[in-house]
Every structure is written in structure tokens, then in C-alpha cells.
Amino acid sequence: MNQEMISITFPDGSVRQYEWGVTPYEIANSISPRLAAEVLAATVNNQIYDLTRSITADASIKLHKWEDKEAKSTFWHSSSHLMAEALEQLYPGIKFGIGPSIETGFYYDVDLGDKSISESDLKKIEDRMLELARERQNFVRREISKQEAMESYTSKGDEYKCDLIKDLEDGTISFYTNGTFTDLCRGPHLADTSVIKAVKLTSIAGAYWRGDEKNKMLTRIYGVTFPQKKMLDEYLVMLEEAKKRDHRKVGKELELFAFSQRVGQGLPLWLPKGAMLRERLENFLKAVQKRHGYLPVMTPHIGQKELYVTSGHYAKYGKDSFQPIHTPQEGEEFLLKPMNCPHHCEIYKTKPRSYKDMPLRLAEFGTVYRYEQSGELHGLTRVRGFTQDDAHIFCRPDQLKEEFIKVIDIVLYIFKTLDFKDFTAQISLRDPDNTEKYIGSDENWEKAERAIIEAAEEKGLQTVVETGEAAFYGPKLDFMVKDAIGRKWQLGTIQVDYNLPERFELEYVGADDKRHRPVMIHRAPFGSMERFVAVLIEHTGGKFPLWLTPEQVVILPVSEKYNEYAKKVGEFLNNNDIRASIDERNETIGKKIRENELKRVPFLLIVGEKEVENGTISVRRQGEGDKGEMITQDFVAMIEKEIKEQIEY
């Protein structure tokens, strides 16, 4: 064996020498046995490695513990194989589709033949998985030829794996074995199963093979695992809380939005209270944008096919989107717009531009349409028609950093106002080893990437850098937010684009009297109104900030004879821009209080004989109970003060 030494470079830039063939586990152990016990995977030269896989050349390395997404992905992918082994033992003859890790946990698509699995069967599968995990089974990788791989699954009669193998290139195929189970898989995997200490199979669903409705429906089993039982317990508590906060459930309770089969799947209907909530969000952002020099524009919901061919969106969305709209004129085709940016480019071109006009900031709450598969639709978070809080900034290259910082300021102000405190900013850069897949000059890319990095540093953002995650047209900054129960959401994105100015031949005349291409910044602090409202509902549990909530006050007359006084109070509040309604039902005051508190109304005002005599109201605050008696003018002042504090710019 070749015993030459190789150089291993660590994230801090330090370099150590190791023997040829050293494994990530051995490297971790050389630093600290405790580290080796906690490491679950490694990134070697930007590729995720098994801990037991040999390194045979100089390389950079990053070791991943549970906190890293790479470790979780490896842990959960290995768990899908562990579940597959348990299933194969419990259901002989079962056939396997794919079993990837997902954002939280994993799933495996299986063909059970004439058998079936119900929710009541999941416990015995979990128990078998834990038994197998305790056997400390190694995950053993084996490179295999395409012919041998095909023969293996042909003899087994597993048509799904054969279907996968036929698309693979010879020399790139590997099998992994743990215990009695062998699977077609590129990896990576854990060193062994012993670190899997807690298992929960969460649900069963149907899934067409390869997502094609023409193929057979397979059984998809979802699960999640953890290295500690305590982590699973905490996760299950979070799941229960998430069910209570589910925006579909809360949205129905609060009468915010609905869906209709007649209107069409994935096309939300905003009910009056939901429309009021959304309108306030839009007005809030419009006021912020006005202060930052944005100009409002409006564009149609459709555009000629040629517009999207020019922009490149037809190539990207055309096949899987809504089909072209044909007009009575032969050969004329329109598309429902999948993006607003091509329209904004055409607005830019309506007149000659000078360097003195830069930056030009165009903003629109523009509705776009994309045909998501029916199985992927989910409440407001995945829809077919949605409104983006879209803006496009056309600027000179020397203005890029300053404009980027101003957009970050807007995003941070929104997060502060809506109480999103825990977030990171992901900086997505191009792959320096594969620059040919990106458009634009090296010089422009370097300037743009440096501008984003420096802007994030100047604003003191907690950042992660993802090399190779840039869009083909430019680098970007995405804001990843943790909600009140610890789930991560992507809210807000800022992207630099050299592509569309090139495609649309956008120009401005510079100070040198020559023609130049502007740089384009795409920005959407909310992302889409639909998804943002869904996240906001789940973050707050439907208890919105006072300035935003559709129904701020409900007045509760103790009996019918106090309805007239309640109406006077309601009229006074509404005239002072406080959203108030009256519950005039002939019910007990206790029942009215209980039912309106379930609707998350911030303030309940009780009026009866004492309040009429004193010209006052008795105030109850959501979650705080009785706040005492006060005159209506003082209540208005209290509300106005609280709202001003919540959205003070």
C-alpha cells in the first residue's frame, strides 16, 4: 500500500499531514476522541463523505456534528435504510422505490404488493428499527458496475431500482449494505446504526412512482429519528404545537381564507378578514418603500409568449406551467405570468435612461401563476396563484453595495416589527470550479459577491456562505427565519442579476457618454403574500400584533338593552380608526367572552348598567383577563400608543 502523506486543510485554514487513505473518522479522532464520538459526517472537497471512506489526495475537510444540516441529512438518510431493513424483514417480498432524507426526517416509497400498512402497524416497525440499530450495524459501501447492479435487481424482481439504474452512468454506481439490507445508493451514510437512539414514524401517504400519475401508486412512509430520546420528546411536543398553529386550521377558525374546488386547486380566496390583514401588510410595506424611493408600477396578469421566451422563463416554466392562452388571431399566444421581472424590464425600456436616473426602483404587488402538481399543494404555503411583494432595482455597478444595504435595512425592519428575532442570512455564491455554468464576467461576479459579503458584514448579520448555490444569473442573499416554535422558513430574498439586463438589452448612458448595462437587483422581503401570511399565522398562533389584526375589538353588551350604548362605543372607536364590532347575540356574557377569546380578538369591551351610568367600558385583554374600567377616550389613546410603538419607523 502507498504510504505517502497527504495534506488536509481545515475550515480555519490550518493544515495537517495524514497518511494516504485516512478516513474522516480517523482525522476527527486525531483531534479529540470526544469529537470523533460526536461527528456524523464530513465534507471533503465540497462533497459529503462517509466517516469511514478513505481520502486519497490532498483535500479540504469540514467535520459535521448533529447541529449541521449535513449531519442531519446523513443521519436521516441512514435511518431510511434502517427502516427499509425493518420493512423487508416484516414484509417479505416488499419492493423499494426511493428513500431520501427531507428537511425534517426521511421517507421511503415502497410497493407492498397485496399487503398493506396502516397507522397501527407503525409501532412494530419502530420497535424493529430500534432492535436493528442496537446491533451496531455498519454501513458498508461497495462500488459496482451498471451490469452487475442491473442483474442484482432484475433477479430480485425489483423493477423500481432497475428503472433508476438505467439512467445512471457506469462507474458512478454504488451499493450500501447495513445488516441484511442492501440498497442502490450514492450515500453518504453514518459509520454504523448505534447512534440512532429514538425513532418515530409519523405518517403514511400515497405517492406515484417518479411523481407521474400514469405510474403505480406506492406507499410512502414518513419518519424521523434522533441521537437522543429527549430530542424526540421535544420534537413531538413541537409537532403538537405546530398542529394547533397550522395556518389551514387557524385560517379557517379566524375566517381569513378559503379554497373552492370550483375555483380550482391552489387558488386561494381571501375572505374579508384575511383581505384586511393582507391589505395592512401591503400598506405597511408600501409606506416603507415610499420612504426608500421606490416607484409603484402595475403590470398585466398575462404577457405574450415572446416576452417569456426572451426572459428565459418560458424555457424554465413553460413545460410544467399553465399552458399558453390562444387568441382568435392565428399564431398569437399569451401566458399567465410566472414572474414580474420581464414586465419591469419592459417598463425600464419605455424611455432612454441616464446614469443620473440610477438607481431606478420599481415596486409591484404582482400576482403570478405556476402550475404546481396537485400533490405538492399545501394551504397558502404552496399555491398556483400568488402575489409577490416584488421590486426590481436597476442601478450602476458602483451603486450595487449601497442598494443592497438599503434592501437589507427594509428586511430587518420588517423582521423587527413582526417579531422575527432568530434568523440567519445565507450568502449564495457561484462555484469557482465550474464558472462556465454562470453568465456575466468574472469581474462583475467578484464585485457582486464582494458587495453582498461586505453589506452583510456591515449590517452585522449572522451569515452562512453556500458556495455553488448562486443562481446562474448572479449571487443572492436569503433570510432563513426561525419561528416561535423553532421551525425554519425562508423569508425574504435579495438577488443580483446580470442575465435579464443582457437578454432585454437594457442600457443607460454613462457620465462618459457611452452606453452601459445596468445591474438588476430582485428583492422580495415577504416573498409571497400567501406564504408570508401562512408563516405569520403559525408564528403568532393567530394572535397578530395589534396594528395588524383584522378585528381589534369586540364590544359585548351584557343584555339587549345595552345594545344602543354598545353601538355608540363602536361608532366612536371606528371613527378613530380602531376596528371594532359588536356581539349582539342573545347569549350569556360568559359564553360571549369564551367564544370571542377563541377568535384571538385582542380586546373585549363589556358594557352594562354600570358602564352606561359612568360613560365607561370594562376592558378585557387577550391572555391577560380583566384590565378594569376606563373611559373610551383613554382606551383609544392606549391603543394608539401601542400601535405607534409596534410600527414606529
Side-chain angles (χ1 to χ4, degrees):
M1 178 180 172
N2 187 348
Q3 292 297 322
E4 69 181 84
M5 304 299 285
I6 58 175
S7 297
I8 300 296
T9 304
F10 293 88
D12 64 359
S14 63
V15 180
R16 293 192 185 190
Q17 300 294 311
Y18 290 93
E19 288 187 358
W20 182 96
V22 69
T23 66
Y25 177 82
E26 289 169 340
I27 292 172
N29 198 49
S30 73
I31 298 169
S32 156
R34 181 176 176 180
L35 176 63
E38 295 177 345
V39 167
L40 298 172
T43 296
V44 178
N45 291 339
N46 297 319
Q47 181 183 350
I48 307 295
Y49 260 45
D50 307 312
L51 290 180
T52 55
R53 188 171 173 183
S54 296
I55 303 172
T56 57
D58 293 347
S60 62
I61 191 169
K62 183 177 181 182
L63 301 169
H64 299 295
K65 296 195 287 187
W66 173 258
E67 294 74 23
D68 296 338
K69 66 179 183 180
E70 296 88 350
K72 288 186 176 74
S73 177
T74 301
F75 194 95
W76 287 327
H77 185 61
S78 299
S79 299
S80 77
H81 282 232
L82 181 66
M83 180 176 74
E85 182 186 10
L87 288 168
E88 195 169 56
Q89 292 181 8
L90 293 169
Y91 302 91
I94 190 173
K95 297 175 184 178
F96 296 94
I98 59 171
S101 64
I102 53 178
E103 187 175 357
T104 302
F106 58 89
Y107 69 78
Y108 220 123
D109 290 342
V110 298
D111 183 348
L112 291 151
D114 58 358
K115 303 182 183 72
S116 64
I117 291 177
S118 67
E119 298 281 344
S120 61
D121 297 318
L122 297 182
K123 179 66 168 61
K124 71 177 179 182
I125 302 170
E126 292 170 1
D127 291 343
R128 180 60 61 90
M129 288 175 68
L130 288 169
E131 287 174 19
L132 297 171
R134 286 191 287 269
E135 292 178 6
R136 202 182 187 94
Q137 297 175 355
N138 294 323
F139 284 91
V140 181
R141 177 187 175 92
R142 179 164 66 98
E143 307 287 341
I144 192 168
S145 70
K146 185 169 184 174
Q147 180 181 344
E148 188 181 351
M150 188 65 83
E151 288 172 355
S152 173
Y153 282 105
T154 301
S155 64
K156 196 176 178 182
D158 196 327
E159 64 268 29
Y160 306 106
K161 296 297 184 184
C162 291
D163 192 25
L164 294 172
I165 291 166
K166 75 175 192 293
D167 295 333
L168 301 177
E169 289 185 25
D170 204 358
T172 65
I173 301 172
S174 57
F175 280 6
Y176 275 84
T177 299
N178 55 289
T180 59
F181 179 69
T182 297
D183 203 1
L184 169 73
C185 183
R186 69 166 61 93
H189 284 286
L190 299 168
D192 64 62
T193 59
S194 64
V195 291
I196 301 172
K197 303 288 190 183
V199 176
K200 181 65 179 176
L201 301 186
T202 52
S203 63
I204 302 171
Y208 291 107
W209 172 238
R210 295 207 159 190
D212 189 335
E213 295 177 7
K214 297 174 186 173
N215 291 334
K216 184 172 182 179
M217 173 78 78
L218 303 182
T219 299
R220 176 170 292 180
I221 306 174
Y222 288 94
V224 67
T225 53
F226 292 92
Q228 295 176 21
K229 175 69 163 57
K230 179 186 173 186
M231 291 179 177
L232 175 59
D233 293 340
E234 291 170 351
Y235 175 74
L236 294 177
V237 169
M238 185 274 288
L239 271 190
E240 283 305 307
E241 184 62 26
K243 286 179 185 175
K244 295 177 193 172
R245 292 168 175 258
D246 189 317
H247 74 278
R248 296 167 298 178
K249 173 179 175 289
V250 176
K252 185 175 182 180
E253 291 170 354
L254 300 187
E255 300 177 2
L256 300 177
F257 62 89
F259 290 91
S260 161
Q261 287 298 321
R262 282 198 180 93
V263 173
Q265 286 185 304
L267 300 171
L269 301 170
W270 290 89
L271 306 181
K273 290 179 183 177
M276 286 190 280
L277 172 72
R278 176 173 157 164
E279 182 181 51
R280 280 173 178 80
L281 279 171
E282 290 186 7
N283 290 341
F284 162 65
L285 183 54
K286 284 176 181 176
V288 176
Q289 289 177 164
K290 186 176 181 181
R291 295 186 189 102
H292 280 78
Y294 286 79
L295 300 173
V297 295
M298 297 178 73
T299 60
H301 289 243
I302 64 173
Q304 284 203 101
K305 176 182 171 182
E306 183 56 36
L307 175 70
Y308 306 111
V309 171
T310 300
S311 69
H313 290 109
Y314 183 75
K316 184 174 182 182
Y317 294 108
K319 182 181 176 185
D320 300 317
S321 197
F322 289 98
Q323 293 305 295
I325 301 164
H326 297 275
T327 72
Q329 184 171 322
E330 188 177 348
E332 188 175 50
E333 290 182 314
F334 287 80
L335 294 177
L336 289 169
K337 69 174 175 183
M339 299 286 262
N340 298 301
C341 31
H343 296 254
H344 291 191
C345 288
E346 287 298 309
I347 289 174
Y348 180 94
K349 291 188 74 172
T350 55
K351 68 177 186 179
R353 306 287 178 178
S354 160
Y355 72 97
K356 294 178 182 178
D357 300 326
M358 304 288 126
L360 177 66
R361 308 179 188 98
L362 303 179
E364 174 182 19
F365 285 86
T367 303
V368 298
Y369 303 89
R370 298 176 197 166
Y371 188 81
E372 302 284 357
Q373 295 296 321
S374 60
E376 295 176 341
L377 298 173
H378 182 83
L380 293 180
T381 60
R382 200 74 180 264
V383 289
R384 289 174 173 168
F386 54 94
T387 302
Q388 294 178 308
D389 59 320
D390 228 348
H392 297 95
I393 302 166
F394 302 89
C395 63
R396 305 190 308 263
D398 63 290
Q399 296 171 321
L400 179 60
K401 178 181 168 183
E402 181 183 359
E403 288 304 304
F404 219 90
I405 287 174
K406 288 179 179 177
V407 177
I408 292 174
D409 285 337
I410 291 176
V411 174
L412 295 182
Y413 174 61
I414 289 169
F415 287 177
K416 178 175 179 288
T417 304
L418 294 170
D419 200 32
F420 288 109
K421 297 174 181 175
D422 189 354
F423 59 90
T424 56
Q426 178 178 306
I427 301 172
S428 298
L429 308 177
R430 68 173 176 169
D431 182 352
D433 300 322
N434 192 15
T435 56
E436 64 273 7
K437 72 177 184 179
Y438 305 95
I439 69 124
S441 69
D442 290 344
E443 180 186 8
N444 280 342
W445 270 90
E446 287 162 9
K447 283 181 181 176
E449 291 182 341
R450 188 164 62 250
I452 292 176
I453 292 168
E454 289 177 359
E457 286 176 352
E458 287 185 26
K459 299 309 298 181
L461 299 180
Q462 180 184 338
T463 60
V464 293
V465 177
E466 295 290 349
T467 302
E469 291 299 313
F472 75 93
Y473 51 76
K476 59 180 181 171
L477 186 71
D478 294 322
F479 289 85
M480 316 302 290
V481 177
K482 271 191 181 179
D483 68 11
I485 56 174
R487 297 167 302 177
K488 277 189 179 179
W489 304 88
Q490 186 203 318
L491 294 181
T493 184
I494 318 172
Q495 303 176 0
V496 178
D497 187 355
Y498 299 108
N499 178 47
L500 287 184
E502 192 71 36
R503 283 178 172 266
F504 282 91
E505 299 178 336
L506 305 184
E507 294 179 337
Y508 66 90
V509 176
D512 57 2
D513 284 333
K514 294 180 181 177
R515 296 187 179 278
H516 301 271
R517 286 265 187 269
V519 183
M520 189 173 176
I521 299 175
H522 304 246
R523 72 71 304 197
F526 290 151
S528 82
M529 299 306 297
E530 286 72 14
R531 189 168 184 275
F532 191 84
V533 168
V535 174
L536 189 61
I537 289 171
E538 299 195 5
H539 178 57
T540 62
K543 297 176 182 178
F544 304 112
L546 186 58
W547 67 273
L548 188 57
T549 189
E551 195 170 30
Q552 295 170 321
V553 174
V554 173
I555 305 163
L556 310 179
V558 172
S559 69
E560 289 181 7
K561 63 182 179 179
Y562 305 112
N563 284 356
E564 284 305 312
Y565 182 70
K567 287 175 184 176
K568 288 180 182 178
V569 172
E571 185 178 342
F572 182 80
L573 294 177
N574 282 298
N575 286 340
N576 282 274
D577 202 27
I578 293 172
R579 299 179 289 284
S581 63
I582 304 169
D583 187 344
E584 294 182 323
R585 293 176 302 155
N586 188 23
E587 299 285 357
T588 65
I589 193 67
K591 184 173 183 180
K592 287 183 180 181
I593 289 172
R594 286 193 301 274
E595 291 184 354
N596 281 286
E597 284 188 339
L598 287 174
K599 294 178 181 177
R600 285 93 161 167
V601 178
F603 287 98
L604 302 180
L605 306 184
I606 299 164
V607 295
E609 183 178 358
K610 179 179 66 171
E611 288 77 20
V612 171
E613 286 179 1
N614 298 336
T616 59
I617 50 178
S618 289
V619 180
R620 289 184 64 86
R621 179 77 191 250
Q622 171 76 228
E624 297 177 15
D626 186 9
K627 304 300 286 185
E629 201 175 339
M630 63 176 69
I631 62 172
T632 314
Q633 290 93 331
D634 289 347
F635 177 73
V636 169
M638 182 183 76
I639 295 283
E640 290 175 343
K641 181 174 181 288
E642 183 172 332
I643 289 174
K644 186 177 179 182
E645 288 171 353
Q646 287 180 349
I647 59 170
E648 187 173 359
Y649 186 74

